Amino acid sequence: MRYYIYALLILLSLSATACREGDSTEAAAVEAEEEQHTMLYGIIADDYTTESGTIAQGETLGKILARYGVSAATVDRLDKAAKDVFPLRQIRAGRPYTALLAQDSTGRRLDYFVYEKDVVEYVVFGFQNDSITITQGQKDVTIRRQMRSSVIESSLWGAIMRDSLPYALAAEMEEIYQWTVDFFGIQKGDRFTVIYDEKMIDTTHVGIGQIWGAKFIHADKEVYAIPFKQGDKIQYWEANGASLRKQLLKAPLKFTRISSRFSRSRLHPVHRVYRPHLGVDYAAPSGTPVHAVADGVVSFKGWSGGGGNTLRIKHAGNLETGYLHLRGFAKGINKGTRVKQGDLIGYVGSTGTSTGPHLDYRIWKNGVNIDPLKVPQEPAEPIAEKNKAAFESVRDRIIAELNGQASPEMIITELSQLEIRSDSTAAAEPSVADKK
């Protein structure tokens, strides 16, 4: 009986192995076959001619398909079949399309029409054999790891554009460092290095992915950004394990300039007399979004004379922030509303006594005005003791690459193994270098 069971187990094991080998062989055969053909949007396109264009303003899919001989009845069938996959009303002007045309005895025949939703995703509408199919797909995106550096002449955005870096990097850098670096106070000669994944389709840049680490040098002070997962999401940390997140955002809006600073005696631009200016003015286009700098509760919403449309929010630590001259308030913002750090609360305007659109931003501590640019910052929870070893392993590898002391190939292999996660098991796992 034991021999029978043992033989049966061996037979099952061999069968499973054969199945796996068969699947592998079949997959390899399919891949080899695809390599022998011209593939376009997942379609073997050897026998097709293609025509490409762009959806014009006011142009419907039905109008385009009619040019390729598709009847109104077929378009109606397509509209009904597409409702649960990709409704035709979602097609937008300015997006590219490609028609795959076959040649038969009656002339050209449209077999496939491909609409590109964005640079990566597309929808294929099929019209073969009097049937209609709708499938969605994605272009093959490859990841290319990059490390780039830049020196600031005037602004972060200026440096990004001058050095032909992806524009998305500026937004990502501001997102990561928004609690720590005052982007309104950066100086000529400040510099940064950033490691990131660049997304490519063939040779075309289509976006950026994970930021693997950064170093920002402001006023000769180095501030590292190390990605590490503590809790349920990846956050960025300083080299000593302190969180880059702080109690308050450095500023309540982006892409602006400081037009007036905190002062006990400033020449008023309208009244032309010297009086205190107990806030910081950020010049920005009317309608620029304004965000809460910290969690809190709205304590005032309304008109405040020269301050125009004004919002005040109470925060922990006896802090209160004020946002003056707003054009309007965000939907759902009222007295007593609880807001979270980064929530949209209003829009830059020029209401009240104002010479132009700007935000007058104020902070009170225990009811007394203080300079918003000099508020002591309390960091969020640091790296937990149980995660320190794993964090330090990730940190050391990233800093080594940022400083040119390690090869990207080694770093990416080891970080992929660590998965920048917080579990203590991450530190216990041997690295690629340790295994050698």
Side-chain angles (χ1 to χ4, degrees):
M1 183 67 178
R2 287 181 181 176
Y3 175 80
Y4 173 75
I5 294 174
Y6 181 67
L8 181 60
L9 289 173
I10 292 176
L11 182 60
L12 289 172
S13 176
L14 289 172
S15 298
T17 301
C19 287
R20 286 195 298 270
E21 290 177 349
D23 292 343
S24 177
T25 302
E26 184 178 349
V30 170
E31 186 175 343
E33 182 181 354
E34 289 183 351
E35 288 179 355
Q36 295 172 5
H37 295 286
T38 300
M39 302 298 296
L40 195 61
Y41 303 105
I43 302 164
I44 297 176
D46 297 341
D47 298 327
Y48 288 108
T49 58
T50 62
E51 289 185 3
S52 297
T54 302
I55 307 290
Q57 193 69 39
E59 191 172 38
T60 65
L61 182 59
K63 192 179 294 185
I64 299 172
L65 293 177
R67 294 203 296 265
Y68 292 109
V70 178
S71 67
T74 302
V75 172
D76 184 60
R77 287 171 54 205
L78 176 66
D79 184 45
K80 293 175 181 177
K83 282 183 179 178
D84 296 331
V85 182
F86 181 79
L88 301 189
R89 65 177 180 275
Q90 293 183 13
I91 289 176
R92 298 288 181 262
R95 297 305 310 159
Y97 66 82
T98 299
L100 280 75
L101 303 160
Q103 190 74 31
D104 60 19
S105 57
T106 61
R108 295 194 315 168
R109 181 187 71 245
L110 179 69
D111 275 3
Y112 298 101
F113 183 89
V114 184
Y115 168 76
E116 296 192 10
K117 296 163 58 177
D118 52 41
V119 293
V120 176
E121 296 185 317
Y122 58 84
V123 184
V124 178
F125 302 103
F127 302 94
Q128 286 185 305
N129 303 321
D130 199 35
S131 64
I132 289 174
T133 58
I134 304 101
T135 57
Q136 299 193 70
Q138 292 187 341
K139 297 178 184 178
D140 290 333
V141 178
T142 58
I143 301 297
R144 185 168 65 184
R145 193 137 183 262
Q146 300 279 20
M147 182 171 76
R148 299 291 299 272
S149 298
S150 184
V151 178
I152 291 171
E153 292 289 332
S154 59
S155 68
L156 175 64
W157 277 90
I160 292 286
M161 289 188 288
R162 183 197 66 224
D163 293 337
S164 301
L165 300 177
Y167 291 165
L169 269 184
E172 290 291 335
M173 292 282 284
E174 288 189 341
E175 181 74 21
I176 290 169
Y177 282 111
Q178 63 183 309
W179 299 270
T180 311
V181 174
D182 180 7
F183 286 99
F184 303 104
I186 58 178
Q187 306 165 3
K188 183 177 181 179
D190 288 351
R191 54 198 185 277
F192 65 88
T193 299
V194 59
I195 305 167
Y196 63 96
D197 285 340
E198 183 177 28
K199 296 180 179 179
M200 306 287 295
I201 294 178
D202 296 326
T203 58
T204 303
H205 168 88
V206 294
I208 65 173
Q210 174 72 47
I211 303 292
W212 287 93
K215 177 174 68 172
F216 202 103
I217 301 177
H218 172 53
D220 294 327
K221 179 185 177 184
E222 292 183 343
V223 184
Y224 285 96
I226 310 298
F228 190 78
K229 186 176 180 182
Q230 177 163 282
D232 60 351
K233 65 179 180 179
I234 292 173
Q235 300 179 55
Y236 290 86
W237 312 79
E238 297 187 49
N240 63 2
S243 174
L244 280 175
R245 296 177 66 93
K246 300 294 188 290
Q247 181 185 8
L248 302 177
L249 297 178
K250 277 290 186 180
L253 69 174
K254 297 179 179 179
F255 320 132
T256 63
R257 62 180 177 84
I258 292 176
S259 56
S260 184
R261 295 175 181 268
F262 186 93
S263 173
R264 296 292 176 183
S265 180
R266 181 195 71 157
L267 180 63
H268 196 281
V270 176
H271 301 296
R272 309 306 297 173
V273 296
Y274 284 93
R275 60 171 60 175
H277 180 253
L278 304 178
V280 172
D281 286 350
Y282 292 100
S286 182
T288 298
V290 177
H291 303 273
V293 297
D295 295 356
V297 177
V298 175
S299 54
F300 176 83
K301 172 195 172 184
W303 187 265
S304 65
N309 289 327
T310 297
L311 201 67
R312 290 175 67 148
I313 302 174
K314 284 189 175 181
H315 312 281
N318 294 319
L319 288 175
E320 188 173 22
T321 55
Y323 312 82
L324 286 63
H325 306 299
L326 297 172
R327 187 179 78 178
F329 307 99
K331 186 177 180 181
I333 296 295
N334 295 293
K335 184 177 180 179
T337 300
R338 291 190 174 275
V339 297
K340 290 188 175 296
Q341 187 178 69
D343 280 356
L344 177 66
I345 55 174
Y347 305 91
V348 168
S350 189
T351 56
T353 306
S354 170
T355 58
H358 72 287
L359 174 72
D360 184 345
Y361 170 55
R362 305 195 174 197
I363 298 184
W364 294 266
K365 174 77 172 178
N366 296 319
V368 177
N369 280 105
I370 60 176
D371 188 346
L373 300 179
K374 297 180 180 178
V375 178
Q377 287 278 45
E378 294 294 327
E381 182 183 357
I383 291 291
E385 190 66 35
K386 67 177 182 178
N387 295 327
K388 278 189 175 180
F391 169 75
E392 289 169 359
S393 180
V394 171
R395 176 201 63 195
D396 292 347
R397 289 160 168 76
I398 291 173
I399 289 179
E401 185 176 347
L402 285 167
N403 293 328
Q405 298 166 351
S407 69
E409 292 78 12
M410 182 185 76
I411 297 298
I412 194 169
T413 300
E414 296 190 353
L415 285 179
S416 296
Q417 185 169 343
L418 286 169
E419 296 178 346
I420 55 179
R421 65 175 186 261
S422 62
D423 305 329
S424 57
T425 54
E429 292 178 1
S431 69
V432 172
D434 294 333
K435 289 179 179 178
K436 292 180 178 178

